Amino acid sequence: MSGVTFLGTAGGRMVVTSQLRKSGGFWLSLAGKNILVDPGPGSLMRSVELGLKPANLDCIVLSHKHIDHSNDVNIMIEAMSGGSFRPRGILLAPSDALEGDDPVVLRYVRTYIRNNIKVLEPGFKYSLDGVGIEVAVRMMHANVESYGLKFTFDGKTLGYITDTKYFNGLPEAFKGCDYLIVNMVRMTHDARFEHLLPEDVIRILKVAKPRQVILNHFGMQVVKARPDAVARRIEKESRVRTIAGADGMQFSFDTGKAVTEPTISSFG
Ligand SMILES: [Zn+2]
């Protein structure tokens, strides 16, 4: 069984710090591998709450170092390695999350996974026992390194458009995806924040043409506009099936549908 569990769908500082929506990233279960993407604040608590076992993780991925994507990375590495007693798993992260003036991954925690860390960069490709993880394109997002990703499993491809502003070449980088998770933080343009708006998502979908899109990482403007309503508008204009992620939502990549009445996660 392959699917995703959204630990939280909060994006942007106000929604995360108020916990108007929960945060913590999303947990992929792909062909038997457990991959945690962007473990923001609450990732450990939300995983356990939803019945997911961090000690079963095989891989943690940071698309970029911003705190709403990385806050729980250290504790999740500790949990993945059984409190350091059972070293296992791998971390994939951009170089500025690991080195430089302001790394977010603690050095002593890195030893818990025997420094099994790979640096994301353009052209990056990795096989996690047959589950492919690759960089689709470098994003344009504030002053940090941010990477859009593609995961391949069971003959399918899942794309992840993390935080970025719109740029030429972005839609093309995600052609050929069956599923696409898109972080859409804002409704209106503001040059101070490099994020996608509904209009940007529609432009991307018209070119990338995935089978199904799940919107994620909602800032205050999107929460106020109601993510479900925004998803319906995007679907109508792009003609691509679109749903809004929700806290605790599980979506099956086998059936292409959300799992109904989710409580404890079926994945992982
Ligand atoms: Zn960010």
Side-chain angles (χ1 to χ4, degrees), residues 188-202:
T188 59
H189 178 71
D190 182 328
R192 291 175 300 165
F193 305 109
E194 298 190 328
H195 282 299
L196 295 176
L197 320 175
E199 279 58 39
D200 300 325
V201 176
I202 292 163

Side-chain angles (χ1 to χ4, degrees), residues 166-180:
Y166 185 88
F167 58 92
N168 287 336
L170 175 59
E172 289 78 7
F174 288 91
K175 275 185 173 175
C177 291
D178 299 281
Y179 299 102
L180 198 52

Side-chain angles (χ1 to χ4, degrees), residues 64 66 68-69 141 163 195 217:
H64 65 295
H66 280 157
D68 50 337
H69 298 251
H141 183 53
D163 294 7
H195 282 299
H217 211 56

Side-chain angles (χ1 to χ4, degrees), residues 23-216:
S23 50
F26 55 89
W27 180 301
L28 298 172
S29 183
L30 305 179
K33 293 288 161 193
N34 290 304
I35 303 166
L36 176 62
V37 182
D38 286 347
S43 197
L44 175 62
M45 198 182 79
R46 290 291 291 154
S47 305
V48 173
E49 248 175 31
L50 292 164
L52 296 160
K53 295 193 171 57
N56 290 343
L57 280 171
D58 300 289
C59 179
I60 299 173
V61 187
L62 296 187
S63 68
H64 65 295
K65 67 186 268 190
H66 280 157
I67 198 164
D68 50 337
H69 298 251
S70 70
N71 186 78
D72 274 17
V73 67
N74 292 294
I75 193 64
M76 293 312 287
I77 292 172
E78 185 165 291
M80 175 166 72
S81 64
S84 84
F85 296 111
R86 207 165 52 99
R88 72 193 292 272
I90 183 166
L91 172 70
L92 311 181
S95 64
D96 68 352
L98 301 166
E99 303 300 335
D101 295 338
D102 206 11
V104 295
V105 184
L106 294 169
R107 293 184 195 282
Y108 83 89
V109 170
R110 301 180 195 189
T111 65
Y112 293 175
I113 52 171
R114 298 198 174 114
N115 292 298
N116 193 8
I117 298 170
K118 299 244 181 288
V119 178
L120 295 177
E121 57 189 6
F124 175 90
K125 275 191 170 73
Y126 182 74
S127 172
L128 190 67
D129 291 339
V131 174
I133 306 175
E134 66 180 83
V135 165
V137 65
R138 181 170 174 166
M139 299 309 206
M140 294 182 74
H141 183 53
N143 295 321
V144 297
E145 272 185 73
S146 179
Y147 291 104
L149 300 163
K150 280 185 184 174
F151 301 85
T152 49
F153 56 98
D154 301 338
K156 301 185 183 93
T157 301
L158 164 70
Y160 173 40
I161 299 185
T162 186
D163 294 7
T164 185
K165 66 176 178 183
Y166 185 88
F167 58 92
N168 287 336
L170 175 59
E172 289 78 7
F174 288 91
K175 275 185 173 175
C177 291
D178 299 281
Y179 299 102
L180 198 52
I181 294 173
V182 183
N183 287 2
M184 190 191 69
V185 179
R186 296 181 57 84
M187 296 296 290
T188 59
H189 178 71
D190 182 328
R192 291 175 300 165
F193 305 109
E194 298 190 328
H195 282 299
L196 295 176
L197 320 175
E199 279 58 39
D200 300 325
V201 176
I202 292 163
R203 278 171 83 184
I204 292 166
L205 299 187
K206 282 182 174 172
V207 174
K209 294 188 170 50
R211 269 170 53 193
Q212 168 83 50
V213 174
I214 309 174
L215 304 174
N216 179 42

